[in-house]
Structures are given as structure tokens and as C-alpha cells.
Amino acid sequence: MFDFLIQGFGVALTPLNLGLAFLGALLGTLFGALPGIGPINGIAILMPLAYTLGLPAESALILLAGIYTGSEYGGRMSSILLNVPGDAGAVMTTLDGHPLAKKGLAGPALGLSAVSSFIGASVAILGLTLFAPLLAIVAVKFGPAEFFALMIFAFASMSAMMGKDPLKTLIGAVLGVLISTVGVDSGTGVLRFTFDMPELYDGIDFVVMIIGLFAVSEILLMLEHAFRHDQDGEMAPIGRVMVKMSEVLYCKWAILRSSVIGFVIGVLPGTGASVASAVAYTTEKRISDHDNSFGTGNMRGLAAPEAANNASAAGSFVPMLTLGIPGSGTTAILLGALMLYNINPGPMMFREQPMVVGGLIASLYIGNVMLLLLNLPLAGVFARVLQVPRWLLVPSVAILAFVGVYQLHSDLMAIYLMLAIGVFGYLLRKFGFSLAPVVLGFVLGGLMEENLRRALSISGGDVGILFQSNLSIGLWIAAALVVLVPMFAGKLKAKFLPAAKPS
């Protein structure tokens, strides 16, 4: 394997491929930072160009993989600075990233997220190098029943986000699941919640949902604040711009735990960074949130999802390269890029295309270092976004939101739907609801329904299939423990520990 990797570095370190890796990292960071574009659209835009320019297969893949990993870095910027996720994997970053920015710690938050992303991606790339064939064998055992159990586990993990108001968290998750059911039922053809509007037959697009829920609601809140306080030119405090080593060390175990979680979930086809970051955040909250500071600007609450979503991105290459199965929506586009060059991903690819696979894996190491060196010095520059006056910031965010949705759909109905969802998100925030459970319910609800249908279709309607394999049983037990253990632990603590005496 190390001989294979050395051969890959020989490919990746050529001047052309080094330049393409840097270009991919830079463009990916920009695509990730702009809400509504993200890695899938960035790769879809540049893939035909790379092929038309006659780039070799390994060079084209290095460029596109750089865009993918760079987008995972870039998605955190708008999440931290504007409370608008750049992509699905950055939703959880908003929970603690933006509160840190409002405290004047935007620079350290950006720096910590860059370091967390670097470590998460490094752990995952090392895992890809050492364990790809072994992990592929495990991943292929995940059928629809196992994926359904995994979604149940993800929903159970959400209980860690409930905090002081579990009812609002539960309502938010249910609302997200309900929104995910809009459209034509793929199994029966029944129209669900479409209100006789053909534009809703395909359901609500994730980009429309995420930009409306976060960007538009944030615009309304900024306008409300400006009108209420008459502070049109108010500037948010910047504070210091560099992260301290002590802050990184404070988060070291959170980063390492989340890196492993993100990599393992990334290996599973069809899960993606949104699931990985949600599981990592809720796991870390359960382990580390002793003072209920998660969601108010906790460094570990920022580091965990950032490490996980970058680890998940690298992990998604495992099923693509070893099985020919895309591990995420973005690797599905990369799979198409390989097929443009008449390369068939799968078990034989490591033998038949060592230059392509070796060059890709080596470029992930190089691109990861480039991204760290690119993002750390610029943390202070990006943090200056918070000093933009509201009269300029509000229309700028609005333009990004409108352009991001319209360039995807070229349809005014998508704009109207985005505005309606934005008003809905604004009302939820005014009533004290967190938007993260709504988004998680929307993402996980669709995956859960799809895999439940497949499992029941395979078994002829027998629900016993959901509990047949050891993997399924293990995930069901883990989901039950995640919910029940904290409940009983709290009761035992209240029963056996003496109450503190008033001073």
C-alpha cells in the first residue's frame, strides 16, 4: 500500500497536478462559502470544462476532488459569519459557530474550524489509505434495513439537542419530516401536500429549503433589529482574529472522536456529511456539555461537526473507489467523471488504474495541507465580513440567496417558495425554535422513508426484516441506549446524590 501511495505522490507532485489541486482547493472554498452552490454544483459546472480541455483522467479527478474537499472547508464561513449554512454538512456549524462570531470571536472560530477540518480530513484520508478494502466489505453489508436502523439511531441521537425544551425540538424534527414528504409518493404515485401545484410534484429542493430557512429568516431578523434599534450602521465586534493553541488542545478529543465518527458514516453509501455532522455534534454534546453551553458558543460544539463533515467527505471515496458505489451525492458526480474517461470504479480499479487512484489519494493529502495554509491566514480577512454595515450586509445576503436559488431552478416559483419558507423560519425563531432539528428531520426523513420502503419491498411487507441482521439489531440497541441511559442516569443522580445546601 505504501509503494502504491509513493507512486501516487509521483503523479500528484507534477507541476500541472499541483496547480490543479490548488485551483480546486481555492474554487472549492469559494463555492462552499456561497450559499446555494456547494460542491455538487461546483463540480457539475467544471467537469465538462475539464474533459473539454483534454486533461488526463488523474488530473481531472484531482481538480474535482479539490473542489469537493475545498467546499467542505468553505461551507463553514457563511455558517459562522452569517448564520447561513453554505451546504448541508455545515448546518450543525451554525449552532455554536455563529454565537461565537456574535461574541467577537469570529476569527478564532474560523481558525478552529479550519484546524478541525484539517484533522478530520487527515484522519479520514489515512483511513482511506489503510482500510479501504476492509471498510468496503463492511459497507456493502448495509442494506435498506440497516440504513433505516441507522436513521433511527440518528434521530435518537437528536435527543441530545433537546436541552431545556425537548418539546420544541421534537416539534421541529416532526415539521422537518412532514416537509420532506411533500411531492409525488415514489411508491404509489399519490400526491402528498402539493395543493394541486405542479411545481411541488418533485418535492421541496434542499437548496430552496436551506436558503429560505436560514438566509431569508436571518435577513428578516437583521431588518427587525435595524428597525427596532435604529442602528443601520452598527458593526459587530471583531475581537482577536487568530485561534490559540490552548483552544485547539481544549477541543482535541472532540475533534478526534468526531473525525472517526465522520469517517465511518462517510464510508456508508448514501449518508453524507449532514448525517455525520449531526451524529458527531449530538454525541459530543452528550459527552462534553456539562454546563449546557452547547448552542451558545462552545468551541467543542463548533469543532465536532467541522471535523466530522470533512472526515465524511474523504470517507465517501471508499465505496466509490472500491465498490463503484457513490458514498454521497458529490461522489456520484465524480463517478460520472470517471465514466467520461471510460474508467469503471470497483475492486479492480486499484490494479487497472493505479495512476488514477494513487494520484487521487495523494492529492487529498496535498490538497488538505493547501486548504489549511489557505484558510488559517485568511481567517481575519473573512472575519471582517462582520464589520460590513447592515444597510450593505442585508441586501448582499439577499442577492446571494436569490441568485443561489434562481441559478439552480430558473423558476420564479422556487423564489416564492424560498420566501415562504423564510417567513416560516423567521416565525419559528421568534417563538424560540431551533432550526437544526427542522433541517435534520427534512434530510433524515426522506432517507428513512426511502430505506423503509425498500426493506419492506424486499420482505414482502414483513417488518421482521428490520431486526434480522446483527448490524440492524446493534443499531436498534444503540438507539435505545442513547435515549434511555441519560434518562435513568439523571434519575439515579437525583436519587443518590444529596442536594446542594443553600449557602
Side-chain angles (χ1 to χ4, degrees):
M1 181 59 74
F2 285 106
D3 291 339
F4 171 80
L5 192 60
I6 290 170
Q7 184 182 1
F9 273 107
V11 173
L13 289 173
T14 61
L16 172 64
N17 290 337
L18 274 177
L20 289 173
F22 179 77
L23 179 63
L26 180 62
L27 290 176
T29 302
L30 294 175
F31 288 151
L34 296 174
I37 299 183
I40 293 180
N41 296 307
I43 290 174
I45 291 167
L46 287 178
M47 182 174 67
L49 181 62
Y51 184 72
T52 306
L53 290 174
L55 292 176
E58 59 272 17
S59 299
L61 205 59
I62 285 170
L63 171 64
L64 299 179
I67 292 172
Y68 183 19
T69 53
S71 294
E72 298 300 330
Y73 269 77
R76 77 197 200 287
M77 292 180 193
S78 55
S79 297
I80 293 171
L81 298 176
L82 303 174
N83 199 32
V84 180
D87 55 34
V91 169
M92 305 307 293
T93 304
T94 62
L95 296 180
D96 284 280
H98 191 60
L100 282 168
K102 292 201 293 188
K103 293 178 180 178
L105 297 174
L110 288 168
L112 177 63
S113 65
V115 173
S116 303
S117 299
F118 173 77
I119 295 173
S122 298
V123 169
I125 297 167
L126 186 62
L128 170 63
T129 306
L130 298 177
F131 306 118
L134 177 64
L135 289 167
I137 293 171
V138 176
V140 81
K141 292 182 178 179
F142 266 75
E146 288 74 21
F147 276 115
F148 177 75
L150 179 64
M151 295 304 108
I152 294 294
F153 174 73
F155 270 113
S157 298
M158 200 186 298
S159 63
M161 295 169 58
M162 290 183 174
K164 297 178 181 178
D165 205 337
L167 181 60
K168 286 184 178 179
T169 304
L170 182 62
I171 291 173
V174 171
L175 287 172
V177 173
L178 286 174
I179 295 171
S180 74
T181 63
V182 172
V184 179
D185 186 335
S186 58
T188 63
V190 173
L191 299 176
R192 302 187 299 192
F193 306 115
T194 57
F195 306 104
D196 295 325
M197 299 172 67
E199 294 87 355
L200 293 178
Y201 286 1
D202 291 331
I204 295 177
D205 183 77
F206 179 78
V207 173
V208 174
M209 174 76 173
I210 205 76
I211 292 182
L213 205 59
F214 283 89
V216 176
S217 69
E218 188 69 26
I219 290 168
L220 294 174
L221 284 173
M222 285 193 286
L223 287 173
E224 180 195 10
H225 182 84
F227 284 126
R228 178 175 295 177
H229 299 285
D230 194 24
Q231 294 174 326
D232 186 57
E234 179 192 13
M235 295 183 182
I238 290 293
R240 59 188 173 87
V241 297
M242 292 302 292
V243 64
K244 296 178 180 177
M245 181 57 68
S246 60
E247 291 168 334
V248 176
L249 293 176
Y250 170 73
C251 300
K252 61 181 183 298
W253 296 118
I255 294 172
L256 291 174
R257 275 191 294 266
S258 301
S259 300
V260 174
I261 290 171
F263 177 56
V264 171
I265 292 179
V267 168
L268 305 176
T271 48
S274 55
V275 178
S277 59
V279 172
Y281 181 86
T282 52
T283 301
E284 195 56 38
K285 179 176 172 63
R286 198 173 294 281
I287 293 172
S288 304
D289 191 17
H290 304 301
D291 55 357
N292 292 322
S293 62
F294 271 53
T296 62
N298 188 301
M299 289 284 189
R300 288 173 177 166
L302 169 64
E306 279 300 298
N309 66 34
N310 282 270
S312 172
S316 65
F317 283 99
V318 173
M320 185 192 85
L321 295 175
T322 58
L323 300 173
I325 301 171
S328 64
T330 311
T331 49
I333 307 291
L334 291 174
L335 202 64
L338 287 173
M339 291 177 178
L340 272 179
Y341 287 92
N342 294 318
I343 296 173
N344 294 317
M348 298 304 294
M349 188 176 173
F350 282 79
R351 291 187 180 181
E352 295 174 355
Q353 302 289 343
M355 300 281 282
V356 174
V357 180
L360 171 63
I361 295 175
S363 76
L364 292 175
Y365 284 100
I366 296 168
N368 198 31
V369 175
M370 286 180 174
L371 283 165
L372 181 68
L373 297 178
L374 185 67
N375 280 269
L376 269 183
L378 294 178
V381 177
F382 292 131
R384 300 291 168 186
V385 171
L386 292 177
Q387 282 195 319
V388 176
R390 290 186 187 277
W391 62 264
L392 181 59
L393 183 61
V394 171
S396 299
V397 175
I399 289 170
L400 284 176
F402 279 83
V403 171
V405 169
Y406 193 78
Q407 64 93 19
L408 281 179
H409 296 277
S410 302
D411 183 9
L412 282 177
M413 179 61 191
I415 299 291
Y416 298 146
L417 187 59
M418 175 193 74
L419 293 173
I421 293 172
V423 173
F424 174 64
Y426 168 77
L427 293 174
L428 285 177
R429 292 171 73 169
K430 291 300 291 180
F431 284 103
F433 285 83
S434 171
L435 297 182
V438 181
V439 176
L440 290 177
F442 180 76
V443 173
L444 299 180
L447 291 171
M448 187 170 68
E449 182 189 16
E450 180 184 350
N451 285 290
L452 177 61
R453 284 185 177 278
R454 288 179 181 175
L456 294 178
S457 176
I458 291 170
S459 67
D462 181 12
V463 296
I465 191 174
L466 302 177
F467 309 95
Q468 280 184 356
S469 72
N470 292 332
L471 277 173
S472 292
I473 294 170
L475 286 167
W476 280 105
I477 292 173
L481 291 175
V482 162
V483 174
L484 296 176
V485 168
M487 291 171 55
F488 285 108
K491 289 181 179 180
L492 289 173
K493 184 178 179 181
K495 182 176 181 180
F496 292 107
L497 290 180
K501 295 180 181 179
S503 55

